[in-house]
Amino acid sequence: PLKTAAGVKGGVERTFIAIKPDGVQRGMISEVIHRFERKGYKLVAIKAIVPPKALAEEHYGDLKARPFYPGLVSYMTSGKAPVIAMVWEGVDVIRQGRRIIGATNPLDAEPGSIRGDYTISVGRNAIHGSDSFESATIEIGLWFKPEEVYNWQFAHAEWIESKN
Ligand code: GDP
Ligand code: MG
C-alpha cells in the first residue's frame, strides 16, 4: 500500500487540519480539537503559526486564478491571529475530517459540522482540512518538518480500533 506523510491510503491516514485566524479569534481552538479527539483520532502535530505569504500562496495554489485568492491569502497571513496547524491521525481521517468540518460554503454545511454550527460566510469558514490523500501528503509536508510530527500509540488503542 501507498505510504507517505499522510500515512497509508485507505488505512491509518494522517490529515492536515488548520484553524484559520477567524476560528482562533472566535475561540474555536478547543472546540475543533475536542471534536477530533472525542471521535477517536490522535493529534500527532500542532503549532501556532502566522504563515509567510509564500506558504499561504502555495497552500492555496490551486485557487490562484480565483477572484477571492488575494483576499484569501491576506486573511491567512494578516497576523491578527495565528493559524493553528495540526496533523490528525486515524482510520479514514481524511474523509471523516471533511465531514466533521462540513461543506466549504457554511450555508451548505450541515448543522452538527463545525462550519455548519459556527460560521455563515465562505470567506470566513474558520477551518481547513485536506480534501484527499494526495493533498494531505503535500500539505503536511508544506506546514511541518518531519521531526515535528510524532509517532505515538494510544495505550487504549484496542478500545478504539478493532482489527476485524
Ligand atoms: P475547502 O477545501 O472546503 O476549504 O474549500 P476550497 O479548497 O474550495 O477553498 C479553499 C478556501 O478558499 C475556502 O475554505 C474558503 O476559505 C475560500 N473560498 C472558497 N471559495 C470561496 C469564495 O467563493 N469566496 C471567498 N471569499 N472565499 C472562498
Ligand atoms: Mg480545499
Side-chain angles (χ1 to χ4, degrees):
L2 180 60
K3 191 175 190 305
T4 74
V8 178
K9 190 172 188 173
V12 177
E13 298 172 342
R14 289 175 168 178
T15 192
F16 176 68
I17 301 292
I19 307 170
K20 300 182 193 180
D22 54 322
V24 174
Q25 280 287 349
R26 295 188 56 199
M28 292 170 59
I29 298 171
S30 58
E31 176 69 28
V32 170
I33 291 174
H34 179 60
R35 287 177 182 227
F36 280 83
E37 200 172 38
R38 72 185 184 185
K39 174 77 171 163
Y41 290 132
K42 187 193 301 173
L43 185 62
V44 295
I46 184 168
K47 64 181 167 189
I49 176 175
V50 176
K53 192 162 180 240
L55 173 56
E57 286 179 341
E58 197 167 352
H59 175 77
Y60 282 128
D62 57 325
L63 300 171
K64 199 163 242 159
R66 306 295 290 277
F68 57 82
Y69 179 77
L72 175 60
V73 170
S74 62
Y75 143 64
M76 292 291 285
T77 59
S78 80
K80 290 176 183 170
V83 170
I84 304 300
M86 298 177 278
V87 180
W88 285 88
E89 180 186 287
V91 172
D92 203 33
V93 71
I94 299 167
R95 188 168 68 97
Q96 297 305 322
R98 294 283 293 189
R99 296 179 68 206
I100 291 167
I101 290 169
T104 302
N105 184 341
L107 302 182
D108 297 326
E110 295 292 337
S113 67
I114 294 168
R115 286 169 173 167
D117 284 351
Y118 288 90
T119 66
I120 51 174
S121 174
V122 69
R124 294 290 184 272
N125 61 5
I127 182 165
H128 168 83
S130 306
D131 65 7
S132 66
F133 186 83
E134 291 69 28
S135 49
T137 301
I138 291 167
E139 291 167 4
I140 292 167
L142 269 178
W143 289 81
F144 288 98
K145 298 176 194 146
E147 63 269 28
E148 293 176 316
V149 183
Y150 294 88
N151 289 307
W152 64 280
Q153 305 308 320
F154 284 133
H156 57 299
E158 65 176 303
W159 303 108
I160 300 175
E161 294 171 16
S162 86
K163 302 276 180 232
N164 48 50

